[in-house]
Amino acid sequence: MKRLIALAVLAAVAAATPALADLAVGAKAPDFTAPAYLAGKPFTFDMAAARKKGPVVLYFFPSAFTGGCNLEAHLFSEAADDFKAQGATLIGVTAGKVERLAEFSADTTTCGGKFAVAADPGAKIAKAYDSPMKMAGMKAPVDLSARTSYVIAPDGTVLLAYDNMKADDHVNQTLTALKAWKAKQKK
């Protein structure tokens, strides 16, 4: 049964059409709190508190323990020190398989305990960020998020909104935008 559900989720992701990240550059990013995990340990993630420490790289992914999401989490994990060097908080958010996020956050093939992942049951946070997954042929979004990454300034301004179901360029896009913003701050 679990295998059938996993196959259905994978088929849904494969059939997904790219959703435009409607929360545009310059928009105000919504604050939220959500249950989260770092290296398997639970805590409550608070966007407003994270922004007080510096910029936030927020990335939405459809579901834990799926091919593209595993790859994306692994790539963010490999670059976690680069984000920290820029003074950024890195957080992944998903509505898929939220009951396995503690395991996902600690798994060495995914997050490796290097950054937090937060649960978004019903994709409420994704919807607030205009990042729900839209499926081909369906009028309403499903309760999963699209693969969308944001870079958010400490004042809440969206510096980057990058939406692409391919997982392999989100780290590059967010890190480049973050470095560009940091360079402007030094001038």
Side-chain angles (χ1 to χ4, degrees):
M1 183 64 172
K2 287 183 181 179
R3 183 170 231 185
L4 289 175
I5 292 171
L7 289 173
V9 169
L10 288 174
V13 170
T17 57
L20 297 176
D22 294 331
L23 194 58
V25 170
K28 185 77 170 175
D31 284 331
F32 64 90
T33 58
Y37 299 90
L38 177 61
K41 294 182 175 36
F43 74 101
T44 299
F45 178 80
D46 182 328
M47 175 59 92
R51 286 190 303 99
K52 287 179 183 174
K53 298 175 191 172
V56 175
V57 175
L58 165 67
Y59 85 94
F60 290 97
F61 60 103
S63 182
F65 292 113
T66 58
C69 298
N70 290 356
L71 171 64
E72 185 177 29
H74 180 75
L75 294 172
F76 271 112
S77 176
E78 287 182 331
D81 290 339
D82 295 330
F83 287 104
K84 282 183 186 174
Q86 297 299 315
T89 297
L90 174 60
I91 180 78
V93 176
T94 189
K97 297 183 186 168
V98 295
E99 72 283 356
R100 294 191 64 196
L101 282 183
E103 178 187 356
F104 188 74
S105 74
D107 190 305
T108 58
T109 62
T110 58
C111 305
K114 293 186 178 180
F115 65 93
V117 288
D120 184 18
K124 293 177 182 87
I125 300 166
K127 290 171 187 168
Y129 276 78
D130 293 326
S131 298
M133 184 180 289
K134 296 177 178 85
M135 306 297 287
M138 295 183 75
K139 292 181 182 179
V142 295
D143 284 339
L144 293 173
S145 60
R147 190 177 313 283
T148 307
S149 297
Y150 291 97
V151 177
I152 302 163
D155 68 358
T157 302
V158 173
L159 303 172
L160 171 80
Y162 179 70
D163 185 77
N164 190 332
M165 282 306 289
K166 289 186 176 184
D168 59 354
D169 201 34
H170 285 260
V171 168
N172 179 51
Q173 292 291 325
T174 54
L175 196 52
T176 298
L178 183 60
K179 287 178 179 179
W181 177 78
K182 290 287 282 189
K184 283 183 181 178
Q185 300 306 303
K186 291 180 181 178
K187 290 183 180 181

